[in-house]
Short mmCIF file of all heavy atoms in Angstrom, two decimals:
data_model
loop_
_atom_site.label_atom_id
_atom_site.label_comp_id
_atom_site.label_asym_id
_atom_site.label_seq_id
_atom_site.Cartn_x
_atom_site.Cartn_y
_atom_site.Cartn_z
N LEU Q 43 5.37 5.41 21.31
CA LEU Q 43 5.60 4.22 20.49
C LEU Q 43 4.93 4.38 19.12
O LEU Q 43 5.49 3.98 18.09
CB LEU Q 43 5.08 2.97 21.20
CG LEU Q 43 5.89 2.51 22.40
CD1 LEU Q 43 5.18 1.35 23.09
CD2 LEU Q 43 7.28 2.09 21.98
N ASN Q 44 3.72 4.95 19.10
CA ASN Q 44 3.04 5.15 17.83
C ASN Q 44 3.74 6.18 16.97
O ASN Q 44 3.74 6.07 15.73
CB ASN Q 44 1.59 5.54 18.06
CG ASN Q 44 0.76 4.35 18.49
OD1 ASN Q 44 1.03 3.23 18.06
ND2 ASN Q 44 -0.22 4.59 19.32
N ALA Q 45 4.37 7.18 17.57
CA ALA Q 45 5.15 8.15 16.80
C ALA Q 45 6.34 7.47 16.13
O ALA Q 45 6.65 7.73 14.96
CB ALA Q 45 5.62 9.28 17.71
N VAL Q 46 6.97 6.57 16.85
CA VAL Q 46 8.09 5.82 16.27
C VAL Q 46 7.58 4.91 15.15
O VAL Q 46 8.22 4.78 14.10
CB VAL Q 46 8.82 5.01 17.36
CG1 VAL Q 46 9.83 4.07 16.76
CG2 VAL Q 46 9.46 5.95 18.36
N ASN Q 47 6.41 4.30 15.36
CA ASN Q 47 5.83 3.46 14.31
C ASN Q 47 5.57 4.26 13.04
O ASN Q 47 5.84 3.79 11.93
CB ASN Q 47 4.53 2.83 14.79
CG ASN Q 47 4.76 1.72 15.78
OD1 ASN Q 47 5.87 1.21 15.89
ND2 ASN Q 47 3.72 1.36 16.50
N LEU Q 48 5.03 5.46 13.19
CA LEU Q 48 4.77 6.32 12.03
C LEU Q 48 6.06 6.62 11.28
O LEU Q 48 6.12 6.57 10.05
CB LEU Q 48 4.09 7.61 12.48
CG LEU Q 48 3.87 8.64 11.38
CD1 LEU Q 48 2.87 8.13 10.36
CD2 LEU Q 48 3.40 9.96 11.98
N THR Q 49 7.10 6.90 12.02
CA THR Q 49 8.39 7.20 11.39
C THR Q 49 8.94 5.98 10.66
O THR Q 49 9.46 6.10 9.55
CB THR Q 49 9.38 7.69 12.45
OG1 THR Q 49 8.82 8.82 13.12
CG2 THR Q 49 10.70 8.09 11.82
N PHE Q 50 8.81 4.80 11.27
CA PHE Q 50 9.29 3.58 10.61
C PHE Q 50 8.49 3.30 9.34
O PHE Q 50 9.07 2.94 8.30
CB PHE Q 50 9.19 2.38 11.54
CG PHE Q 50 10.36 2.21 12.45
CD1 PHE Q 50 10.18 2.02 13.80
CD2 PHE Q 50 11.65 2.22 11.96
CE1 PHE Q 50 11.26 1.86 14.65
CE2 PHE Q 50 12.74 2.06 12.79
CZ PHE Q 50 12.53 1.88 14.15
N ILE Q 51 7.18 3.46 9.40
CA ILE Q 51 6.35 3.21 8.21
C ILE Q 51 6.69 4.19 7.10
O ILE Q 51 6.84 3.81 5.93
CB ILE Q 51 4.86 3.29 8.57
CG1 ILE Q 51 4.45 2.13 9.47
CG2 ILE Q 51 3.98 3.32 7.34
CD1 ILE Q 51 4.46 0.78 8.79
N ALA Q 52 6.83 5.46 7.45
CA ALA Q 52 7.16 6.47 6.43
C ALA Q 52 8.53 6.21 5.82
O ALA Q 52 8.70 6.28 4.60
CB ALA Q 52 7.10 7.86 7.05
N SER Q 53 9.49 5.88 6.66
CA SER Q 53 10.84 5.61 6.14
C SER Q 53 10.85 4.37 5.25
O SER Q 53 11.47 4.37 4.18
CB SER Q 53 11.83 5.42 7.29
OG SER Q 53 11.92 6.59 8.05
N GLY Q 54 10.15 3.33 5.70
CA GLY Q 54 10.09 2.11 4.90
C GLY Q 54 9.41 2.33 3.56
O GLY Q 54 9.83 1.79 2.53
N ASN Q 55 8.37 3.15 3.56
CA ASN Q 55 7.67 3.44 2.32
C ASN Q 55 8.54 4.23 1.35
O ASN Q 55 8.61 3.93 0.16
CB ASN Q 55 6.38 4.19 2.62
CG ASN Q 55 5.53 4.38 1.39
OD1 ASN Q 55 5.43 3.47 0.58
ND2 ASN Q 55 4.93 5.53 1.25
N PHE Q 56 9.23 5.22 1.86
CA PHE Q 56 10.03 6.05 0.97
C PHE Q 56 11.31 5.34 0.53
O PHE Q 56 11.88 5.69 -0.49
CB PHE Q 56 10.36 7.38 1.64
CG PHE Q 56 9.16 8.27 1.74
CD1 PHE Q 56 8.60 8.57 2.96
CD2 PHE Q 56 8.55 8.77 0.60
CE1 PHE Q 56 7.48 9.36 3.06
CE2 PHE Q 56 7.43 9.57 0.68
CZ PHE Q 56 6.88 9.86 1.92
N LEU Q 57 11.76 4.34 1.26
CA LEU Q 57 12.93 3.56 0.85
C LEU Q 57 12.53 2.31 0.09
O LEU Q 57 13.40 1.52 -0.29
CB LEU Q 57 13.76 3.19 2.08
CG LEU Q 57 14.38 4.35 2.84
CD1 LEU Q 57 15.05 3.86 4.11
CD2 LEU Q 57 15.38 5.09 1.96
N ASN Q 58 11.23 2.11 -0.11
CA ASN Q 58 10.71 0.91 -0.78
C ASN Q 58 11.23 -0.37 -0.12
O ASN Q 58 11.70 -1.29 -0.77
CB ASN Q 58 11.06 0.91 -2.27
CG ASN Q 58 10.29 1.96 -3.01
OD1 ASN Q 58 9.16 2.25 -2.65
ND2 ASN Q 58 10.90 2.54 -4.01
N SER Q 59 11.14 -0.38 1.20
CA SER Q 59 11.62 -1.52 1.98
C SER Q 59 10.55 -1.95 2.97
O SER Q 59 9.75 -1.14 3.44
CB SER Q 59 12.90 -1.12 2.73
OG SER Q 59 13.27 -2.14 3.62
N LEU Q 60 10.53 -3.22 3.29
CA LEU Q 60 9.58 -3.74 4.28
C LEU Q 60 10.18 -3.78 5.68
O LEU Q 60 9.53 -4.24 6.63
CB LEU Q 60 9.11 -5.13 3.89
CG LEU Q 60 8.17 -5.19 2.69
CD1 LEU Q 60 7.83 -6.63 2.37
CD2 LEU Q 60 6.92 -4.40 2.95
N ASP Q 61 11.41 -3.31 5.83
CA ASP Q 61 12.05 -3.33 7.14
C ASP Q 61 11.27 -2.50 8.15
O ASP Q 61 11.15 -2.89 9.32
CB ASP Q 61 13.49 -2.82 7.04
CG ASP Q 61 14.37 -3.76 6.26
OD1 ASP Q 61 13.99 -4.94 6.11
OD2 ASP Q 61 15.45 -3.32 5.81
N GLY Q 62 10.76 -1.35 7.73
CA GLY Q 62 10.00 -0.50 8.64
C GLY Q 62 8.75 -1.19 9.14
O GLY Q 62 8.40 -1.09 10.31
N VAL Q 63 8.10 -1.93 8.26
CA VAL Q 63 6.88 -2.64 8.66
C VAL Q 63 7.22 -3.76 9.64
O VAL Q 63 6.49 -3.98 10.61
CB VAL Q 63 6.18 -3.21 7.40
CG1 VAL Q 63 4.98 -4.05 7.79
CG2 VAL Q 63 5.76 -2.08 6.49
N MET Q 64 8.33 -4.42 9.43
CA MET Q 64 8.74 -5.48 10.36
C MET Q 64 9.02 -4.90 11.74
O MET Q 64 8.65 -5.49 12.76
CB MET Q 64 9.97 -6.21 9.82
CG MET Q 64 9.73 -6.89 8.49
SD MET Q 64 8.30 -8.00 8.49
CE MET Q 64 8.91 -9.28 9.51
N PHE Q 65 9.69 -3.76 11.80
CA PHE Q 65 9.93 -3.11 13.09
C PHE Q 65 8.61 -2.73 13.77
O PHE Q 65 8.46 -2.86 14.97
CB PHE Q 65 10.81 -1.87 12.92
CG PHE Q 65 12.27 -2.17 12.83
CD1 PHE Q 65 12.97 -1.90 11.67
CD2 PHE Q 65 12.95 -2.71 13.90
CE1 PHE Q 65 14.32 -2.18 11.57
CE2 PHE Q 65 14.30 -2.99 13.82
CZ PHE Q 65 14.99 -2.72 12.65
N VAL Q 66 7.67 -2.24 12.97
CA VAL Q 66 6.37 -1.84 13.54
C VAL Q 66 5.64 -3.04 14.12
O VAL Q 66 5.06 -2.95 15.21
CB VAL Q 66 5.52 -1.12 12.47
CG1 VAL Q 66 4.09 -0.95 12.93
CG2 VAL Q 66 6.14 0.23 12.15
N PHE Q 67 5.67 -4.17 13.44
CA PHE Q 67 5.04 -5.37 14.00
C PHE Q 67 5.68 -5.75 15.33
O PHE Q 67 5.00 -6.11 16.29
CB PHE Q 67 5.11 -6.54 13.02
CG PHE Q 67 4.09 -6.47 11.93
CD1 PHE Q 67 4.47 -6.68 10.62
CD2 PHE Q 67 2.77 -6.21 12.21
CE1 PHE Q 67 3.54 -6.61 9.60
CE2 PHE Q 67 1.83 -6.14 11.20
CZ PHE Q 67 2.22 -6.34 9.89
N PHE Q 68 7.00 -5.67 15.40
CA PHE Q 68 7.70 -5.99 16.64
C PHE Q 68 7.30 -5.01 17.74
O PHE Q 68 7.02 -5.41 18.87
CB PHE Q 68 9.21 -5.97 16.41
CG PHE Q 68 10.00 -6.26 17.63
CD1 PHE Q 68 10.05 -7.54 18.15
CD2 PHE Q 68 10.69 -5.26 18.28
CE1 PHE Q 68 10.77 -7.80 19.30
CE2 PHE Q 68 11.42 -5.51 19.42
CZ PHE Q 68 11.46 -6.79 19.94
N ILE Q 69 7.27 -3.72 17.41
CA ILE Q 69 6.92 -2.69 18.41
C ILE Q 69 5.48 -2.87 18.87
O ILE Q 69 5.18 -2.74 20.07
CB ILE Q 69 7.15 -1.28 17.83
CG1 ILE Q 69 8.65 -1.03 17.66
CG2 ILE Q 69 6.52 -0.21 18.72
CD1 ILE Q 69 8.97 0.25 16.90
N MET Q 70 4.58 -3.21 17.96
CA MET Q 70 3.19 -3.42 18.35
C MET Q 70 3.04 -4.63 19.27
O MET Q 70 2.25 -4.60 20.23
CB MET Q 70 2.32 -3.58 17.11
CG MET Q 70 2.13 -2.29 16.34
SD MET Q 70 1.29 -2.49 14.78
CE MET Q 70 -0.34 -2.93 15.33
N ALA Q 71 3.82 -5.67 19.02
CA ALA Q 71 3.77 -6.83 19.91
C ALA Q 71 4.28 -6.49 21.29
O ALA Q 71 3.69 -6.88 22.31
CB ALA Q 71 4.58 -7.98 19.30
N VAL Q 72 5.38 -5.74 21.35
CA VAL Q 72 5.92 -5.32 22.64
C VAL Q 72 4.93 -4.40 23.36
O VAL Q 72 4.72 -4.51 24.57
CB VAL Q 72 7.29 -4.63 22.45
CG1 VAL Q 72 7.75 -3.97 23.74
CG2 VAL Q 72 8.32 -5.64 21.96
N ALA Q 73 4.29 -3.49 22.62
CA ALA Q 73 3.33 -2.56 23.22
C ALA Q 73 2.11 -3.30 23.76
O ALA Q 73 1.59 -2.94 24.82
CB ALA Q 73 2.91 -1.52 22.19
N ALA Q 74 1.67 -4.32 23.06
CA ALA Q 74 0.53 -5.10 23.54
C ALA Q 74 0.87 -5.82 24.84
O ALA Q 74 0.08 -5.83 25.80
CB ALA Q 74 0.07 -6.09 22.48
N GLY Q 75 2.05 -6.42 24.89
CA GLY Q 75 2.49 -7.07 26.12
C GLY Q 75 2.65 -6.08 27.26
O GLY Q 75 2.26 -6.34 28.40
N GLU Q 76 3.23 -4.93 26.93
CA GLU Q 76 3.42 -3.88 27.93
C GLU Q 76 2.07 -3.41 28.48
O GLU Q 76 1.92 -3.22 29.70
CB GLU Q 76 4.16 -2.70 27.30
CG GLU Q 76 4.23 -1.47 28.16
CD GLU Q 76 4.39 -0.21 27.33
OE1 GLU Q 76 4.57 -0.31 26.11
OE2 GLU Q 76 4.30 0.86 27.91
N ALA Q 77 1.11 -3.24 27.60
CA ALA Q 77 -0.21 -2.78 28.04
C ALA Q 77 -0.87 -3.80 28.96
O ALA Q 77 -1.44 -3.43 30.00
CB ALA Q 77 -1.09 -2.49 26.83
N ALA Q 78 -0.80 -5.06 28.59
CA ALA Q 78 -1.43 -6.09 29.42
C ALA Q 78 -0.79 -6.18 30.79
O ALA Q 78 -1.48 -6.16 31.83
CB ALA Q 78 -1.35 -7.44 28.70
N VAL Q 79 0.53 -6.23 30.84
CA VAL Q 79 1.22 -6.34 32.12
C VAL Q 79 1.09 -5.05 32.93
O VAL Q 79 0.84 -5.08 34.14
CB VAL Q 79 2.71 -6.71 31.90
CG1 VAL Q 79 3.48 -6.64 33.20
CG2 VAL Q 79 2.83 -8.08 31.27
N GLY Q 80 1.23 -3.92 32.26
CA GLY Q 80 1.15 -2.64 32.96
C GLY Q 80 -0.21 -2.38 33.56
O GLY Q 80 -0.31 -1.98 34.73
N LEU Q 81 -1.25 -2.64 32.83
CA LEU Q 81 -2.59 -2.43 33.37
C LEU Q 81 -2.89 -3.39 34.52
O LEU Q 81 -3.54 -3.01 35.50
CB LEU Q 81 -3.64 -2.56 32.27
CG LEU Q 81 -3.62 -1.42 31.26
CD1 LEU Q 81 -4.61 -1.69 30.13
CD2 LEU Q 81 -3.92 -0.09 31.91
N ALA Q 82 -2.40 -4.63 34.42
CA ALA Q 82 -2.59 -5.56 35.54
C ALA Q 82 -1.86 -5.06 36.78
O ALA Q 82 -2.39 -5.13 37.90
CB ALA Q 82 -2.08 -6.95 35.14
N ILE Q 83 -0.67 -4.53 36.60
CA ILE Q 83 0.08 -3.98 37.74
C ILE Q 83 -0.66 -2.79 38.33
O ILE Q 83 -0.76 -2.65 39.56
CB ILE Q 83 1.51 -3.62 37.32
CG1 ILE Q 83 2.31 -4.88 37.05
CG2 ILE Q 83 2.20 -2.75 38.37
CD1 ILE Q 83 3.66 -4.63 36.42
N PHE Q 84 -1.20 -1.92 37.49
CA PHE Q 84 -1.91 -0.74 37.99
C PHE Q 84 -3.17 -1.15 38.77
O PHE Q 84 -3.50 -0.54 39.78
CB PHE Q 84 -2.28 0.20 36.85
CG PHE Q 84 -1.10 0.85 36.21
CD1 PHE Q 84 -1.13 1.20 34.88
CD2 PHE Q 84 0.05 1.10 36.92
CE1 PHE Q 84 -0.04 1.79 34.28
CE2 PHE Q 84 1.15 1.70 36.34
CZ PHE Q 84 1.10 2.05 35.02
N VAL Q 85 -3.87 -2.18 38.30
CA VAL Q 85 -5.06 -2.65 39.01
C VAL Q 85 -4.66 -3.16 40.40
O VAL Q 85 -5.30 -2.85 41.42
CB VAL Q 85 -5.80 -3.73 38.20
CG1 VAL Q 85 -6.84 -4.43 39.04
CG2 VAL Q 85 -6.45 -3.11 36.98
N LEU Q 86 -3.58 -3.93 40.47
CA LEU Q 86 -3.13 -4.46 41.76
C LEU Q 86 -2.66 -3.33 42.68
O LEU Q 86 -2.93 -3.36 43.89
CB LEU Q 86 -2.02 -5.48 41.56
CG LEU Q 86 -2.46 -6.79 40.91
CD1 LEU Q 86 -1.26 -7.69 40.66
CD2 LEU Q 86 -3.47 -7.48 41.79
N ILE Q 87 -1.96 -2.35 42.14
CA ILE Q 87 -1.52 -1.21 42.96
C ILE Q 87 -2.72 -0.43 43.46
O ILE Q 87 -2.76 0.00 44.61
CB ILE Q 87 -0.55 -0.33 42.17
CG1 ILE Q 87 0.78 -1.04 41.99
CG2 ILE Q 87 -0.34 1.02 42.85
CD1 ILE Q 87 1.76 -0.32 41.08
N PHE Q 88 -3.72 -0.25 42.61
CA PHE Q 88 -4.92 0.48 43.04
C PHE Q 88 -5.64 -0.28 44.15
O PHE Q 88 -6.12 0.33 45.11
CB PHE Q 88 -5.85 0.72 41.85
CG PHE Q 88 -7.05 1.53 42.21
CD1 PHE Q 88 -6.95 2.90 42.39
CD2 PHE Q 88 -8.28 0.94 42.39
CE1 PHE Q 88 -8.05 3.67 42.73
CE2 PHE Q 88 -9.39 1.68 42.73
CZ PHE Q 88 -9.27 3.06 42.90
N ARG Q 89 -5.71 -1.60 44.04
CA ARG Q 89 -6.35 -2.37 45.09
C ARG Q 89 -5.57 -2.28 46.40
O ARG Q 89 -6.13 -2.25 47.48
CB ARG Q 89 -6.48 -3.84 44.68
CG ARG Q 89 -7.53 -4.09 43.66
CD ARG Q 89 -7.63 -5.56 43.34
NE ARG Q 89 -8.63 -5.80 42.31
CZ ARG Q 89 -8.78 -6.95 41.70
NH1 ARG Q 89 -8.00 -7.98 42.02
NH2 ARG Q 89 -9.69 -7.10 40.77
N LEU Q 90 -4.25 -2.22 46.30
CA LEU Q 90 -3.40 -2.19 47.48
C LEU Q 90 -3.34 -0.81 48.11
O LEU Q 90 -3.47 -0.66 49.34
CB LEU Q 90 -1.98 -2.66 47.10
CG LEU Q 90 -0.96 -2.74 48.21
CD1 LEU Q 90 -1.35 -3.84 49.19
CD2 LEU Q 90 0.42 -3.00 47.63
N LYS Q 91 -3.13 0.20 47.33
CA LYS Q 91 -2.93 1.57 47.83
C LYS Q 91 -4.15 2.47 47.72
O LYS Q 91 -4.21 3.50 48.37
CB LYS Q 91 -1.77 2.22 47.07
CG LYS Q 91 -0.43 1.56 47.26
CD LYS Q 91 0.10 1.86 48.64
CE LYS Q 91 1.51 1.32 48.78
NZ LYS Q 91 2.08 1.66 50.06
N GLY Q 92 -5.08 2.15 46.81
CA GLY Q 92 -6.24 3.00 46.62
C GLY Q 92 -5.97 4.19 45.73
O GLY Q 92 -6.82 5.07 45.60
N THR Q 93 -4.82 4.27 45.11
CA THR Q 93 -4.49 5.36 44.19
C THR Q 93 -3.49 4.85 43.16
O THR Q 93 -2.78 3.87 43.41
CB THR Q 93 -3.90 6.56 44.94
OG1 THR Q 93 -3.65 7.61 44.01
CG2 THR Q 93 -2.61 6.21 45.63
N ILE Q 94 -3.45 5.55 42.02
CA ILE Q 94 -2.42 5.24 41.02
C ILE Q 94 -1.59 6.47 40.73
O ILE Q 94 -0.95 6.58 39.71
CB ILE Q 94 -3.04 4.67 39.73
CG1 ILE Q 94 -4.13 5.59 39.20
CG2 ILE Q 94 -3.54 3.27 39.93
CD1 ILE Q 94 -4.61 5.19 37.83
N ASN Q 95 -1.61 7.41 41.68
CA ASN Q 95 -0.76 8.58 41.56
C ASN Q 95 0.69 8.16 41.79
O ASN Q 95 1.02 7.53 42.80
CB ASN Q 95 -1.17 9.64 42.58
CG ASN Q 95 -0.47 10.95 42.34
OD1 ASN Q 95 0.57 11.01 41.71
ND2 ASN Q 95 -1.06 12.02 42.85
N ILE Q 96 1.56 8.50 40.88
CA ILE Q 96 2.95 8.05 40.92
C ILE Q 96 3.65 8.56 42.17
O ILE Q 96 4.48 7.85 42.75
CB ILE Q 96 3.68 8.49 39.64
CG1 ILE Q 96 3.11 7.76 38.44
CG2 ILE Q 96 5.17 8.23 39.75
CD1 ILE Q 96 3.65 8.22 37.12
N ASP Q 97 3.31 9.74 42.62
CA ASP Q 97 3.97 10.30 43.81
C ASP Q 97 3.58 9.57 45.09
O ASP Q 97 4.33 9.58 46.06
CB ASP Q 97 3.64 11.78 43.94
CG ASP Q 97 4.26 12.60 42.83
OD1 ASP Q 97 5.32 12.18 42.31
OD2 ASP Q 97 3.69 13.65 42.49
N ASP Q 98 2.41 8.94 45.10
CA ASP Q 98 1.93 8.26 46.30
C ASP Q 98 2.33 6.79 46.36
O ASP Q 98 2.09 6.13 47.36
CB ASP Q 98 0.41 8.35 46.39
CG ASP Q 98 -0.06 9.77 46.55
OD1 ASP Q 98 0.74 10.60 47.04
OD2 ASP Q 98 -1.21 10.07 46.18
N ILE Q 99 2.94 6.28 45.32
CA ILE Q 99 3.30 4.86 45.28
C ILE Q 99 4.76 4.73 45.70
O ILE Q 99 5.67 5.19 45.03
CB ILE Q 99 3.10 4.29 43.86
CG1 ILE Q 99 1.64 4.41 43.46
CG2 ILE Q 99 3.56 2.84 43.81
CD1 ILE Q 99 1.38 4.08 42.00
N HIS Q 100 4.97 4.10 46.85
CA HIS Q 100 6.32 3.90 47.37
C HIS Q 100 6.51 2.44 47.74
O HIS Q 100 6.91 2.11 48.85
CB HIS Q 100 6.56 4.77 48.61
CG HIS Q 100 6.28 6.21 48.37
ND1 HIS Q 100 7.09 7.00 47.58
CD2 HIS Q 100 5.28 7.01 48.79
CE1 HIS Q 100 6.60 8.22 47.55
NE2 HIS Q 100 5.49 8.26 48.27
N LEU Q 101 6.25 1.54 46.81
CA LEU Q 101 6.29 0.11 47.11
C LEU Q 101 7.70 -0.41 47.30
O LEU Q 101 7.91 -1.40 47.99
CB LEU Q 101 5.60 -0.67 46.00
CG LEU Q 101 4.10 -0.42 45.84
CD1 LEU Q 101 3.56 -1.20 44.66
CD2 LEU Q 101 3.38 -0.80 47.11
N LEU Q 102 8.70 0.21 46.73
CA LEU Q 102 10.06 -0.29 46.82
C LEU Q 102 10.83 0.28 48.01
O LEU Q 102 11.96 -0.11 48.26
CB LEU Q 102 10.83 0.03 45.54
CG LEU Q 102 10.29 -0.63 44.27
CD1 LEU Q 102 11.12 -0.22 43.07
CD2 LEU Q 102 10.32 -2.14 44.42
#
Side-chain angles (χ1 to χ4, degrees):
L43 288 174
N44 285 328
V46 171
N47 286 344
L48 175 66
T49 304
F50 275 131
I51 291 291
S53 298
N55 186 40
F56 289 112
L57 295 174
N58 290 327
S59 172
L60 289 178
D61 292 341
V63 176
M64 299 306 290
F65 278 116
V66 168
F67 281 132
F68 179 72
I69 291 171
M70 288 173 68
V72 170
E76 171 206 353
V79 172
L81 290 175
I83 290 171
F84 292 150
V85 168
L86 290 176
I87 289 173
F88 184 76
R89 286 182 182 169
L90 182 67
K91 297 287 186 176
T93 182
I94 53 171
N95 189 339
I96 293 174
D97 292 332
D98 296 336
I99 299 170
H100 305 290
L101 295 177
L102 297 179

